[in-house]
Amino acid sequence: MNYYKIDSLEKYFKIYNKSVREPEEFWGRVADENFIWYQKWDKVLEYDMINADFKWFKNAKLNIARNCLDRHLNKRGDKTAIIFEPNNPDEAAQHITYSELHERVCRMANVLKEKGIQKGDRVCIYLPMIPELAVSLLACARIGAIHSVVFAGFSASAVASRIQDSECKMVITSDGSYRGNKAIDLKGIVDEALQTCPSVESVLVVNRTNSEVQMKEGRDHWIQPLLDAAAKDNVAEIMDAEDPLFILYTSGSTGKPKGMVHTTAGYMVYTAFTFKNIFNYKGDDVYWCTADIGWITGHSYIVYGPLLNGATTVIFEGVPSYPDFSRFWDIIDKHKVNQFYTAPTAIRALAKENLSYIEKHDLSSIKVLGSVGEPINEEAWHWYNNHVGRKTAPITDTWWQTETGGIMIAPLPFITPTKPTYATLPLPGIQPVLMDERRNEIDDNQVVGSLCIKFPWPGIARTIWGDHQRYIDTYFSAFRGKYFTGDGALRDEVGYYRITGRVDDVVIVSGHNLGTAPIEDAINEHPAVAESAIVGFPHDIKGNALYGFITLKERGEGRDRDNLRREINEHIASHIGPIAKLDKIQFVSGLPKTRSGKIMRRILRKIAEGDFSNFGDITTLLNPEIVEEIKNERID
Ligand code: WT7
């Protein structure tokens, strides 16, 4: 039996059962038959779910960039690896073959080495969605440098804190970026960030917008002349299975962002396996994931998963609304996209627009649709199914996280019967469990609980950069011996999972994972603000939006409220990024607190949602009278 390709429901159950009964045998076979290794493993898995210690493919040697590129050169060197669709539809799309991509990655790898980057060094990548972004990831992987991609919508201080945390030696950026009709000065943001980043020795700059930038002598270099001068061959570094491949920051419910560390072999095997089975990619299909490579979705399912499978992957620089709301449909039609993977927030935004945007395009190439990032509501699911999938393309609702490396629960197209709003069944190797309030595993179906995973899988993050204790505390302590996802879920009568949303202080806004604590920290820095509490509330397009309850210091009391609101949002935009701005800001005279001083977010969440029933017992509050005031002045 070929374990790499599941082609029927019967085979899914067979493989799934095998993966649970004999995980080492299962993953060992998948790894053995589908990749190239310098040296095979001594043991497929060693693990400890208490101390969060995982070793997959122990002592194996490999290079993931070689698996993405070199391996395909004989068979499909002339096949398109990347289709680049620029922001401006009048600018020609680029088709980059596997051979060309290989050469570009080798040149970049040589430039990195020449600039002193060695195996294990961290490189921060702050680039728009242009081919150089994928090339940079692969070049780092090729020489064994650890990439840390920072989404190019983050502010200077967010960039700085990420660079500082992992002590990056280099930054790869561009002069600017195009997003719709805006041009953003990325290099200026990097310059500002680097004022507080002494670890950075050099900055490589891609010329994308031809805009004027400051180049700091000795530190900053235009990348193109260096690439032109570099050799076009590069011998890939021999990496250990557990050598870190990348760090990717994700927000937590408390404190500073967590640098999730993914390692080489397990991540490779898991992203390749899941891509292959979830998107039903075949032959010369064109696959397009609309996420940004700055998020895990882009790492795993724009770059690594597709390239490991020799697929053609689209990189789109722009936004769905530019030049108008037909842009996605235009791109699908233009490049004859077969698999289309996007987020519910985009679907909802596009569903609000006139159907003529979609109807004037031929979407008949679409075979499979994917959804990711947040629960997809029923209405959006049907719109996606009717208008984009023309009721023939199955929708795969993929549940996973930055920490999981790859997709965990999702229907396999043409195999698993779909059910709107359900992510359905776990992938082979994934053992989800629901836990009740007493921290016991729930065996029955038709229940809700906290979603945990009780056995390791190859794609699991290995640690938080520089803080393994925080990794244990965040993910392995709430339910001893299990990985806690932070999500709640419902399991129906046939065992399908439906993710109900976060059970912690993380809010998913437009598919972006935002911890409320860092936003509160930023707000509290404003001189007029005494204290703040942020909660999410349901929003038609964004899924959730942010509602802030803020108390002012005396000096803030006399200030004009709308000006203050504007200032606070500007402050958030410059400290975290525009995505974290608050939709509603209510100034209050106090926040509901427990006697131990903890803000009762549960109550604030209900008020923000407009649900005044069932606040629960508020008599234990230090200041129960405040609830009435907050309720009465709620912003609708
Ligand atoms: C959180 C992880 C995984 C890539 C994008 C986000 C939510 C993600 C789904 C889905 C319901 C989902 C969860 C999860 N989420 N996909 N299909 N259905 N919820 O990665 O930023 O690490 O966020 O996104 O709440 O915990 P992330």
Side-chain angles (χ1 to χ4, degrees):
M1 186 160 61
N2 173 6
Y3 287 160
Y4 196 62
K5 181 71 192 106
I6 303 167
D7 43 27
S8 67
L9 194 57
E10 196 197 338
K11 193 165 163 193
Y12 161 79
F13 284 116
K14 265 201 185 135
I15 289 187
Y16 184 81
N17 291 336
K18 171 87 186 171
S19 76
V20 171
R21 272 196 327 266
E22 293 172 277
E24 291 195 59
E25 156 79 10
F26 171 73
W27 288 115
R29 277 267 302 274
V30 171
D32 198 14
E33 290 168 8
N34 300 285
F35 304 90
I36 47 173
W37 305 86
Y38 296 115
Q39 180 186 304
K40 297 270 168 76
W41 44 94
D42 301 333
K43 185 146 181 38
V44 173
L45 171 65
E46 252 177 39
Y47 71 101
D48 173 349
M49 293 285 275
I50 303 291
N51 297 304
D53 191 5
F54 309 104
K55 289 190 182 61
W56 280 95
F57 310 107
K58 196 173 173 194
N59 291 333
K61 307 288 178 221
L62 75 157
N63 186 288
I64 190 174
R66 259 183 101 227
N67 275 280
C68 288
L69 302 169
D70 309 44
R71 179 162 58 114
H72 304 309
L73 294 182
N74 278 337
K75 245 172 86 188
R76 31 176 112 80
D78 295 331
K79 180 177 172 175
T80 301
I82 291 175
I83 297 177
F84 171 57
E85 172 69 23
N87 177 60
N88 178 352
D90 297 330
E91 191 183 323
Q94 293 172 26
H95 289 73
I96 304 169
T97 65
Y98 272 90
S99 311
E100 288 162 350
L101 185 60
H102 176 261
E103 180 179 328
R104 286 174 73 165
V105 169
C106 287
R107 284 180 188 274
M108 179 81 91
N110 290 327
V111 169
L112 298 185
K113 276 177 127 169
E114 186 203 309
K115 289 291 162 211
I117 299 301
Q118 295 174 352
K119 183 172 173 172
D121 286 343
R122 276 77 61 206
V123 173
C124 171
I125 302 174
Y126 187 66
L127 280 171
M129 283 285 284
I130 54 178
E132 285 82 353
L133 176 49
V135 170
S136 300
L137 265 68
L138 293 163
C140 286
R142 195 167 188 94
I143 66 167
I146 303 168
H147 56 75
S148 169
V149 182
V150 177
F151 171 60
F154 275 126
S155 67
S157 67
V159 177
S161 63
R162 285 160 175 77
I163 291 176
Q164 289 157 3
D165 183 69
S166 47
E167 295 170 295
C168 295
K169 222 168 140 181
M170 175 188 268
V171 179
I172 307 177
T173 189
S174 64
D175 47 356
S177 72
Y178 297 122
R179 300 277 292 166
N181 49 23
K182 280 189 285 196
I184 300 157
D185 173 23
L186 291 191
K187 178 63 166 59
I189 295 173
V190 168
D191 289 341
E192 194 187 327
L194 292 192
Q195 288 176 3
T196 55
C197 299
S199 62
V200 173
E201 291 168 9
S202 52
V203 179
L204 301 181
V205 187
V206 177
N207 179 353
R208 174 60 186 139
T209 54
N210 255 324
S211 39
E212 186 120 355
V213 294
Q214 304 267 340
M215 295 293 277
K216 188 168 167 189
E217 180 81 40
R219 186 193 72 181
D220 303 352
H221 312 274
W222 290 105
I223 209 167
Q224 198 54 51
L226 298 174
L227 290 170
D228 293 342
K232 62 182 202 298
D233 292 316
N234 170 278
V235 180
E237 194 73 34
I238 298 176
M239 303 301 290
D240 185 82
E242 286 299 339
D243 278 337
L245 173 64
F246 65 84
I247 303 169
L248 186 60
Y249 288 87
T250 183
S251 28
S253 51
T254 53
K256 61 175 190 174
K258 299 172 285 195
M260 305 312 308
V261 177
H262 283 281
T263 58
T264 307
Y267 178 81
M268 174 179 80
V269 169
Y270 197 67
T271 52
F273 176 80
T274 48
F275 175 82
K276 175 76 181 171
N277 285 294
I278 290 160
F279 296 104
N280 201 45
Y281 185 90
K282 292 200 176 106
D284 287 328
D285 282 354
V286 173
Y287 161 88
W288 179 25
C289 165
T290 69
D292 194 289
I293 294 173
W295 313 114
I296 191 71
T297 311
H299 280 59
S300 301
Y301 299 110
I302 296 178
V303 181
Y304 289 111
L307 297 179
L308 285 164
N309 283 286
T312 300
T313 177
V314 175
I315 293 183
F316 173 45
E317 185 182 27
V319 293
S321 55
Y322 179 81
D324 63 35
F325 286 102
S326 64
R327 189 64 192 277
F328 274 8
W329 324 128
D330 180 45
I331 295 173
I332 292 175
D333 191 351
K334 178 173 169 189
H335 297 298
K336 301 292 166 232
V337 170
N338 303 110
Q339 291 86 8
F340 178 66
Y341 190 27
T342 195
T345 182
I347 298 167
R348 288 189 298 265
L350 294 167
K352 258 193 32 186
E353 302 301 325
N354 203 306
L355 271 181
S356 64
Y357 284 119
I358 194 162
E359 282 163 353
K360 63 181 183 214
H361 292 286
D362 175 12
L363 304 187
S364 61
S365 57
I366 293 282
K367 295 196 278 193
V368 171
L369 295 174
S371 171
V372 61
E374 58 185 309
I376 179 166
N377 51 307
E378 197 91 41
E379 211 184 328
W381 196 97
H382 288 295
W383 189 87
Y384 200 30
N385 184 40
N386 293 340
H387 299 289
V388 188
R390 303 162 338 278
K391 297 189 184 152
T392 56
I395 296 176
T396 176
D397 176 1
T398 64
W399 173 83
W400 58 299
Q401 312 177 293
T402 304
E403 296 85 341
T404 68
I407 295 166
M408 302 285 280
I409 304 181
L412 304 177
F414 310 109
I415 294 174
T416 320
T418 57
K419 177 172 176 182
T421 78
Y422 281 75
T424 75
L425 298 173
L427 271 286
I430 305 308
Q431 302 186 36
V433 285
L434 295 181
M435 308 297 289
D436 67 18
E437 275 157 13
R438 290 219 181 92
R439 299 176 197 278
N440 294 322
E441 201 174 316
I442 317 175
D443 289 327
D444 309 338
N445 282 351
Q446 286 184 292
V447 288
V448 287
S450 295
L451 179 63
C452 290
I453 314 289
K454 70 171 177 192
F455 194 81
W457 63 99
I460 189 173
R462 301 300 193 263
T463 191
I464 292 175
W465 184 263
D467 197 350
H468 193 68
Q469 191 57 47
R470 186 174 180 203
Y471 183 58
I472 298 173
D473 294 345
T474 311
Y475 302 103
F476 297 90
S477 301
F479 302 92
R480 202 175 151 78
K482 298 187 173 61
Y483 168 82
F484 176 43
T485 65
D487 284 323
L490 169 105
R491 188 166 54 218
D492 77 0
E493 62 289 351
V494 300
Y496 274 17
Y497 287 88
R498 175 189 182 157
I499 312 301
T500 50
R502 303 290 306 188
V503 296
D504 57 11
D505 293 332
V506 170
V507 184
I508 311 277
V509 178
S510 300
H512 299 312
N513 185 332
L514 297 176
T516 52
I519 305 174
E520 289 165 5
D521 291 347
I523 297 172
N524 297 349
E525 278 174 25
H526 188 287
V529 170
E531 205 177 17
S532 60
I534 307 296
V535 297
F537 69 95
H539 183 281
D540 283 351
I541 308 258
K542 302 185 200 180
N544 295 291
L546 299 174
Y547 193 125
F549 298 90
I550 296 179
T551 62
L552 294 174
K553 290 182 185 152
E554 238 178 270
R555 60 199 284 200
E557 287 297 342
R559 297 275 317 269
D560 177 76
R561 297 296 155 104
D562 283 335
N563 277 339
L564 264 181
R565 287 193 176 92
R566 226 178 347 259
E567 279 179 28
I568 288 169
N569 264 330
E570 277 163 19
H571 194 77
I572 295 172
S574 71
H575 276 68
I576 296 168
I579 48 175
K581 284 194 198 171
L582 309 182
D583 270 42
K584 297 180 184 177
I585 297 180
Q586 178 178 351
F587 295 105
V588 296
S589 66
L591 295 168
K593 289 196 181 163
T594 63
R595 280 166 211 276
S596 60
K598 202 165 178 269
I599 298 171
M600 285 282 259
R601 284 161 207 282
R602 180 172 56 79
I603 292 172
L604 294 175
R605 226 173 271 137
K606 287 210 142 203
I607 295 177
E609 285 167 13
D611 172 8
F612 297 158
S613 67
N614 248 326
F615 282 144
D617 184 12
I618 61 169
T619 55
T620 57
L621 288 180
L622 201 62
N623 50 351
E625 69 290 345
I626 203 74
V627 176
E628 202 55 31
E629 174 208 301
I630 300 180
K631 209 169 90 181
N632 291 337
E633 290 169 19
R634 170 178 181 271
I635 300 173
D636 205 9

